[in-house]
Amino acid sequence: MTHEIPRPPFDPELAAVLPTLDGRVPAGMTADRLEHYRALPFPGIAEQIGDRPVGCVHHTITGHGGAEIAVSVLSSVDHEKPGPGIYHLHGGGMVMGDRFASAGPLIDWVLKYDAVAVTAEFRLAPEHPDPVPVEDCYAGLRWMAGNADALRFDPGRLVIFGGSGGGGLAAGTTLLARDRGGPALLGQLLQCPMIDDRNETVSSHQYDGVGVWDRTSNLTAWTAVLGDRRGTADVSPYAAAARATDLSGLPPTFIDVGAAEVFRDEDVAFASAIWAAGGDAELHVWGGAFHGFYDLAPQSAPARACLAARESWLERLLARSVP
């Protein structure tokens, strides 16, 4: 197709990876292709843990409306002293994936920080449209915080983490926690979060038919989540955090995003709005990077820089929370 809107190019190292991802990433995803992408295999939690000394225990908890949802708790096999807690919401545009998608960082942080991580199986759209996904996520956060003693982590050092659709749900869950009086969060770590259903930004038009998650995929996913409300005034900031008009009172926030992806402009605007409200936010925009580059091309130079910045922020956040 002829693209009439100029757009930043992909980093050469990342551009070389894109052809190898053809058919494995949801670019140009329409509703009829959702089941195809849901069926693609990815490593389970046992494979991701491998022979590292990390245990994974599964629980069933009460989600939105009284329904049962699953959560899994990861901790080192010799974990005893309460340390940080990490609450994880997986990516997949709120329409695909499960709680073990991209769980690798959780395993690393369990070992590096002696953290306890909980990852939640929120229900997916379109079978479970808004507000089910974000309310399930909030229910999981409340369960984790309420069981801090049993799970052996410090509830004063609880960080929420999500990428892509999970990043959007993490932002919405953080707003819910603020507005409902808890649980308290030490920080929110949002990687290329999906936060704006309107798709009106320049970057949302620049990346259509190209990359990993494009404008078409984004419209498909938001329609699944919101139905006819997508793009209208009838959308809650808990569903799409870019709709929030008050971003005061949020915990320290890390946001990163590729310069060559749909979510660039909405994520930059979100960080700017946090600053405008007097908040603490760190923003990284990675030149030439497509959506999810840190997971899809982890050995690339841009990904290594991205992951180092993420680790630096988390280390600084956790260090300043130690009594």
Side-chain angles (χ1 to χ4, degrees), residues 19 34 98 100 120 160 192 229 245:
L34 176 57
D98 69 18
F100 303 125
I160 192 168
C192 54
R229 291 185 292 127
T245 57

Side-chain angles (χ1 to χ4, degrees), residues 73-101:
V73 180
L74 289 85
S75 60
S76 63
V77 295
D78 59 355
H79 176 74
E80 293 183 2
K81 183 179 178 180
I86 308 289
Y87 181 58
H88 174 245
L89 303 172
H90 70 81
M94 310 183 206
V95 296
M96 66 183 84
D98 69 18
R99 65 191 185 278
F100 303 125

Side-chain angles (χ1 to χ4, degrees), residues 69-227:
I69 62 172
V71 298
S72 294
V73 180
L74 289 85
S75 60
S76 63
V77 295
D78 59 355
H79 176 74
E80 293 183 2
K81 183 179 178 180
I86 308 289
Y87 181 58
H88 174 245
L89 303 172
H90 70 81
M94 310 183 206
V95 296
M96 66 183 84
D98 69 18
R99 65 191 185 278
F100 303 125
S102 301
L106 306 181
I107 300 165
D108 294 339
W109 295 333
V110 160
L111 294 171
K112 183 175 183 179
Y113 302 115
D114 197 21
V116 171
V118 171
T119 183
E121 194 73 47
F122 57 87
R123 286 168 289 172
L124 301 173
E127 295 87 350
H128 303 283
D130 177 69
V132 174
V134 73
E135 290 286 357
D136 277 353
C137 294
Y138 180 67
L141 177 65
R142 289 192 61 190
W143 178 86
M144 182 178 183
N147 288 277
D149 288 345
L151 298 177
R152 292 174 296 169
F153 76 91
D154 179 355
R157 305 180 70 199
L158 177 55
V159 178
I160 192 168
F161 165 54
S164 191
L169 289 167
T173 301
T174 299
L175 288 168
L176 281 171
R178 179 198 66 179
D179 295 346
R180 294 177 180 176
L185 288 165
L186 178 65
Q188 59 173 338
L189 200 170
L190 313 176
Q191 291 210 270
C192 54
M194 172 185 170
I195 56 174
D196 197 340
D197 63 291
R198 293 165 293 194
N199 292 282
E200 295 171 350
T201 65
V202 171
S203 60
S204 74
H205 288 276
Q206 285 177 318
Y207 295 93
D208 193 8
V210 63
V212 167
W213 179 268
D214 68 346
R215 178 178 175 81
T216 297
S217 303
N218 208 38
L219 290 169
T220 297
W222 276 118
T223 301
V225 174
L226 297 171

Side-chain angles (χ1 to χ4, degrees), residues 83-86 112-113 154 156-159 186-187 252 310-323:
I86 308 289
K112 183 175 183 179
Y113 302 115
D154 179 355
R157 305 180 70 199
L158 177 55
V159 178
L186 178 65
R310 182 183 73 185
E311 292 303 307
S312 172
W313 179 85
L314 186 58
E315 284 184 12
R316 286 180 278 123
L317 179 75
L318 296 177
R320 72 189 189 189
S321 72
V322 174

